Amino acid sequence: LSSTAANPFSDTPAWCDRYVAYAWERGYTQGVGPGLDGRLCFGPDGALTAGEYVTFLLRALGYTDSGDAPDFTWATALDRAAELGVLTPGELALVSGGTFLRAQVVYLSYFALSVPLKDGGGVLLDRTAASSGVAKSQYQSVMDGVSVRRLG
């Protein structure tokens, strides 16, 4: 909420403006393309797919889907995440079929915190703690209270 980044999207409601601006600034989202008026849109009213969310996760982990040597493509995000160890085979099967649920967003987000960053500089939890100003130990104590195992 403290982000001062500009929000380039013409369709974000006030309640999510700071979150979306932060995601844009960090490179996690590129939006859904131009609207009828030609302005860039985020698409806040659309249903999020597993591939879209995993794209956010891969970008947060330092992987890219653009440039001269992309690590993945939009169309291959789920399979590439499984190849990189971000998703287990069981998780890939879970999110590949049917409606992508909020519970699956939480599940994937939780386990992504323990995934190594592409650059080898720790895990996503390390980057999250460093950028938030909250001690990693505080995050870790919350995570230690969760009792769920990864799907194999």
Side-chain angles (χ1 to χ4, degrees):
L1 288 175
S2 64
S3 173
T4 59
N7 182 347
F9 304 108
S10 63
D11 63 341
T12 50
W15 70 265
C16 67
D17 178 75
R18 296 296 78 215
Y19 300 109
V20 173
Y22 177 81
W24 168 262
E25 177 184 51
R26 301 290 299 193
Y28 303 151
T29 186
Q30 298 171 1
V32 297
L36 296 175
D37 61 2
R39 296 177 14 192
L40 190 58
C41 291
F42 180 70
D45 296 324
L48 183 68
T49 68
E52 290 168 338
Y53 189 68
V54 168
T55 294
F56 289 150
L57 290 179
L58 289 172
R59 290 174 180 161
L61 290 163
Y63 294 98
T64 181
D65 56 333
S66 61
D68 293 334
D71 300 302
F72 69 100
T73 66
W74 180 259
T76 64
L78 289 174
D79 290 330
R80 188 66 176 129
E83 291 170 13
L84 293 167
V86 176
L87 298 179
T88 66
E91 292 162 351
L92 177 61
L94 174 72
V95 300
S96 291
T99 303
F100 187 55
L101 305 173
R102 288 183 184 144
Q104 293 166 330
V105 169
V106 173
Y107 174 92
L108 293 179
S109 299
Y110 174 80
F111 285 111
L113 289 169
S114 300
V115 172
L117 300 170
K118 179 187 176 186
D119 67 9
V123 295
L124 187 56
L125 179 59
D126 297 325
R127 179 177 289 159
T128 301
S131 68
S132 70
V134 176
K136 181 180 176 181
S137 60
Q138 288 182 273
Y139 285 111
Q140 193 63 58
S141 69
V142 172
M143 292 179 70
D144 291 346
V146 176
S147 60
V148 63
R149 292 189 320 203
R150 290 191 84 164
L151 298 174

